[in-house]
């Protein structure tokens, strides 16, 4: 169970909104928004938080994808044009995950339809304060949260500190929030990580190594040989040696975490 002083967290988020960064406290900010992150692993966070949240919208590479498909409206992100089309490439989301790993060093990656899941507290430029989630699940990188009604299930000392819900943000509000979150995370150095993301079509190895993101489909049995892996890495432009990449050790570690997670949750 997580124990936290929400008023203290609120103060940290306010400092982040003012432009103060404290990576040791997982406090960052950008564009007048402040963010404080917590490891959202079910063994570390009260089930009250991780079981009741719902998806608000896609984030990162998936922001606006569903809305664009349904309305056929073109969504433009002029403010992000100078970072190489960040929203259009899912591999950039892995770099955001690597920044989360820096803020939360004990964070683990991988699982059944879940690559990562973190809890965050947000302070907006207007002084609105609320909890939300940032995760990679079945519909890709997403923003989640709780409605104002759901706050009633929180302990009073927690819910009384919140004065807004991410579900009440309009399109412009969501755009501003997600842009600010991405820019805030991009201020954080990227750490290496490796995770096995299990999904309906098999399993994906998702990696950041030496600042480079890599997604490799492993199928259902993880039986890629060194020759096949080397071809894939060469195709993706990875020019470092296979033994330097340490593919087998990274996959072994990711598999061990995934199997232990299954066992603990089972």
């Amino acid at each position: 169970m997580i124990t936290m002083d929400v008023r203290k967290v609120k103060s940290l988020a306010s400092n982040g909104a003012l432009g103060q960064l404290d990576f040791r406290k997982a406090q960052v900010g950008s564009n007048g928004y402040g963010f404080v992150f917590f490891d959202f692993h079910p063994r570390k966070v009260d089930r009250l938080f991780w079981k009741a949240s719902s998806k608000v919208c896609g984030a990162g590479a998936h922001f606006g994808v569903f809305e664009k498909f349904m309305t056929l409206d073109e969504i433009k992100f002029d403010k992000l044009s100078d970072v190489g089309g960040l929203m259009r490439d899912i591999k950039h989301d892995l770099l955001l995950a690597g920044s989360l790993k820096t803020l939360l060093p004990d964070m683990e990656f991988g699982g059944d339809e879940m690559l990562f899941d973190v809890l965050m507290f947000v302070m907006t430029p207007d002084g609105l304060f609320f909890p939300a989630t940032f995760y990679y699940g079945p519909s890709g990188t997403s923003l989640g949260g709780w409605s104002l009604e759901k706050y009633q299930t929180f302990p009073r000392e927690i819910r009384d500190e919140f004065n807004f819900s991410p579900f009440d943000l309009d399109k412009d509000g969501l755009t501003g929030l997600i842009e600010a979150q991405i820019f805030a995370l991009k201020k954080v150095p990227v750490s290496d990580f490796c995770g096995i993301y299990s999904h309906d079509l098999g399993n994906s190895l998702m990696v950041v190594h030496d600042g480079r993101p890599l997604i490799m489909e492993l199928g259902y049995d993880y039986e890629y040989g060194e020759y096949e892996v080397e071809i894939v890495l060469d195709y993706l432009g990875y020019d470092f040696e296979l033994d330097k990449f340490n593919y087998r050790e990274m996959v072994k570690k990711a598999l061990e975490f995934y199997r232990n997670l299954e066992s603990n949750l089972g």
Side-chain angles (χ1 to χ4, degrees):
M1 176 181 293
I2 191 171
T3 57
M4 64 172 64
D5 183 341
V6 178
R7 290 186 179 181
K8 183 177 181 179
V9 174
K10 189 175 184 178
S11 177
L12 290 174
S14 296
N15 291 339
L18 293 174
Q20 300 177 26
L21 305 179
D22 192 333
F23 296 164
R24 293 173 300 175
K25 296 179 180 178
Q27 167 203 310
V28 294
S30 182
N31 298 7
Y33 291 80
F35 304 92
V36 182
F37 294 92
F38 288 86
D39 190 344
F40 205 53
H41 193 284
R43 290 198 298 266
K44 299 181 180 180
V45 176
D46 193 309
R47 289 173 181 260
L48 170 70
F49 284 98
W50 66 269
K51 200 170 184 179
S53 63
S54 302
K55 179 179 176 179
V56 177
C57 66
H62 289 81
F63 182 60
V65 170
F66 177 75
E67 293 84 355
K68 184 176 180 180
F69 175 77
M70 294 299 292
T71 65
L72 299 181
D73 289 334
E74 183 180 1
I75 298 177
K76 297 181 179 180
F77 296 95
D78 295 335
K79 295 181 182 179
L80 297 176
S81 60
D82 60 339
V83 291
L86 178 63
M87 291 296 189
R88 296 189 297 273
D89 189 347
I90 192 174
K91 289 181 183 177
H92 287 285
D93 288 1
L94 298 189
L95 297 178
L96 298 180
S99 294
L100 289 174
K101 178 69 172 177
T102 301
L103 297 175
L104 306 171
D106 295 332
M107 182 178 173
E108 297 282 3
F109 293 81
D112 185 10
E113 295 192 334
M114 188 64 68
L115 178 66
F116 66 84
D117 196 1
V118 297
L119 171 66
M120 67 180 182
F121 292 86
V122 182
M123 178 69 73
T124 74
D126 299 325
L128 302 176
F129 180 65
F130 56 89
T133 63
F134 185 57
Y135 63 94
Y136 188 101
S139 55
T141 307
S142 301
L143 174 75
W146 295 265
S147 65
L148 290 173
E149 290 76 15
K150 284 286 183 68
Y151 289 161
Q152 300 308 310
T153 65
F154 285 62
R156 183 171 182 176
E157 63 272 18
I158 293 179
R159 72 170 184 259
D160 284 353
E161 297 298 324
F162 306 142
N163 59 1
F164 195 73
S165 166
F167 284 98
D168 293 327
L169 290 169
D170 59 18
K171 183 176 178 180
D172 289 340
L174 286 173
T175 300
L177 169 61
I178 293 173
E179 284 186 351
Q181 181 193 6
I182 290 172
F183 282 127
L185 287 174
K186 285 181 68 62
K187 297 178 181 180
V188 183
V190 176
S191 294
D192 290 357
F193 73 86
C194 177
I196 301 291
Y197 176 66
S198 181
H199 50 87
D200 290 343
L201 300 179
N203 301 278
S204 301
L205 172 67
M206 295 190 172
V207 175
V208 168
H209 180 74
D210 284 349
R212 292 181 169 183
L214 169 67
I215 301 174
M216 183 185 299
E217 295 303 324
L218 303 177
Y220 289 97
D221 52 12
Y222 315 102
E223 291 183 354
Y224 268 90
E226 289 188 11
Y227 178 69
E228 289 84 356
V229 173
E230 194 167 6
I231 290 177
V232 173
L233 295 179
D234 181 66
Y235 175 77
L236 294 174
Y238 284 75
D239 54 3
F240 45 86
E241 296 294 331
L242 184 61
D243 57 349
K244 179 182 177 184
F245 184 72
N246 208 359
Y247 165 80
R248 291 190 180 281
E249 286 301 315
M250 295 186 82
V251 173
K252 180 180 178 182
K253 180 179 179 181
L255 278 173
E256 286 176 352
F257 169 72
Y258 176 51
R259 288 165 180 162
N260 288 336
L261 180 62
E262 277 193 318
S263 176
N264 290 328
L265 295 181

